[in-house]
Amino acid sequence: MEQATDFLAESEALNAAFDGVSGDQWGTVTQFKGWTLNDVLVHLHFWNQMADLSLMDEAAFQARLAETFAGIGKNGFRATENSMITLRGEELRAAWQELYRDIGARWVDLDPKQRVKWAGPDMSVRSSITARQMETWAHGQEVFDVLGLQRDEKDRVKNIVVLGVNTFGWAYKVNGRDVPSVMPRLELTAPSGAIWEFGEPGDNKISGSAVEFAQVSAQTRSVADTDLQVQGPVATEWMSIAQCFAGGAEAPPAKGARHRAT
């Protein structure tokens, strides 16, 4: 399952970004909702654990999910994750690394269509591991940004682009809007220079960097801070509400709010 290899590579790329971080630097606040570097790794490690638990022990997964939701309802999202994962700093990084490498090695041999439980509807293991790559890539963005690093993007970002495409209707539904009958045409340039095309030609079109489309879909950049060419009212509306992740409606970052530190 290629997506497992992509998840592993994405995790390794983020891990390398932490090489210069030590001590109090783990408390560095990012541009994402005041999350620290510790918060980012807590979040990624916790949900990596949950994805693997859903595969290995469905009953244990359901019990931990119920515990998680109860904690979120009482204490909030960040406090709950931070109470369930108590490691910090280098110890947290080591535990996260050990698990993602283990998952990458084991999941690659799974049947991509195998079903697993999740917080929402059941999903395939291919969808589950793709979601883990997306979260690693998306939350990795605030890490690269705050550390002033430029990520070396690879064509594995296509998995996240496809999530963006597949959640076209979801972005409208979660915002309480009617879903347009036709998705805008996408003509995107991959990091390798390949052209990725989605949808049928029409009056609504989005063209430009595949990475920037993924950034807008994952809400790590405002579309106003990209060079995407957005033509037509549906394309414009979509890029203002795009959301390739689950949960309630989230407002995308304002222009200039998310950027690489210099």
Side-chain angles (χ1 to χ4, degrees):
M1 185 167 61
E2 182 180 356
Q3 288 80 6
T5 302
D6 290 339
F7 161 75
L8 176 59
E10 205 69 70
S11 300
E12 294 286 18
L14 177 55
N15 194 15
F18 289 118
D19 282 348
V21 178
S22 63
D24 291 344
Q25 290 176 311
W26 287 103
T28 299
V29 177
T30 73
Q31 296 166 2
F32 178 74
K33 298 184 178 182
W35 284 24
T36 66
L37 297 182
N38 268 321
D39 289 333
V40 172
L41 274 194
V42 165
H43 178 74
L44 294 178
H45 186 46
F46 178 75
W47 291 102
N48 285 352
Q49 283 184 340
M50 291 294 280
D52 201 43
L53 194 60
S54 72
L55 174 73
M56 304 296 290
D57 189 333
E58 182 180 316
F61 167 77
Q62 297 283 26
R64 191 158 176 80
L65 188 65
E67 180 186 0
T68 302
F69 282 162
I72 291 173
K74 183 178 180 181
N75 301 312
F77 193 81
R78 289 261 38 80
T80 298
E81 289 185 353
N82 282 327
S83 68
M84 299 180 88
I85 300 289
T86 57
L87 297 173
R88 298 293 183 269
E90 285 299 325
E91 290 183 333
L92 172 60
R93 181 188 179 190
W96 167 67
Q97 174 184 280
E98 181 179 10
L99 179 60
Y100 79 63
R101 288 179 175 173
D102 182 36
I103 289 174
R106 284 186 290 106
W107 282 52
V108 72
D109 293 324
L110 296 177
D111 176 359
K113 296 181 180 180
Q114 181 178 341
R115 307 297 292 179
V116 287
K117 297 291 184 181
W118 196 239
D122 295 359
M123 65 172 74
S124 68
V125 293
R126 176 162 47 200
S127 294
S128 180
I129 202 67
T130 298
R132 302 315 314 137
Q133 181 199 350
M134 182 274 292
E135 283 238 286
T136 303
W137 183 85
H139 285 292
Q141 188 69 64
E142 60 247 31
V143 174
F144 281 91
D145 284 346
V146 77
L147 297 178
L149 302 174
Q150 182 68 49
R151 180 159 47 194
D152 182 18
E153 299 287 1
K154 303 294 184 183
D155 277 12
R156 62 177 177 267
V157 76
K158 188 173 186 178
N159 294 327
I160 300 156
V161 169
V162 170
L163 273 181
V165 171
N166 290 344
T167 52
F168 169 68
W170 159 252
Y172 280 83
K173 290 176 182 177
V174 76
N175 281 281
R177 305 188 190 189
D178 293 334
V179 180
S181 58
V182 179
M183 188 189 79
R185 170 76 166 176
L186 295 179
E187 296 178 2
L188 305 173
T189 304
S192 66
I195 303 299
W196 297 335
E197 299 178 334
F198 303 88
E200 299 301 321
D203 295 334
N204 288 274
K205 179 180 175 182
I206 301 166
S207 58
S209 163
V211 169
E212 289 187 336
F213 173 80
Q215 288 175 328
V216 174
S217 296
Q219 295 189 354
T220 67
R221 287 288 187 273
S222 166
V223 67
D225 292 322
T226 72
D227 292 324
L228 290 173
Q229 299 297 307
V230 182
Q231 304 168 18
V234 176
T236 300
E237 183 180 34
W238 181 22
M239 290 294 92
S240 73
I241 60 172
Q243 178 174 327
C244 71
F245 48 87
E250 293 280 353
K255 181 180 180 180
R258 301 286 301 273
H259 56 84
R260 181 162 56 97
T262 56

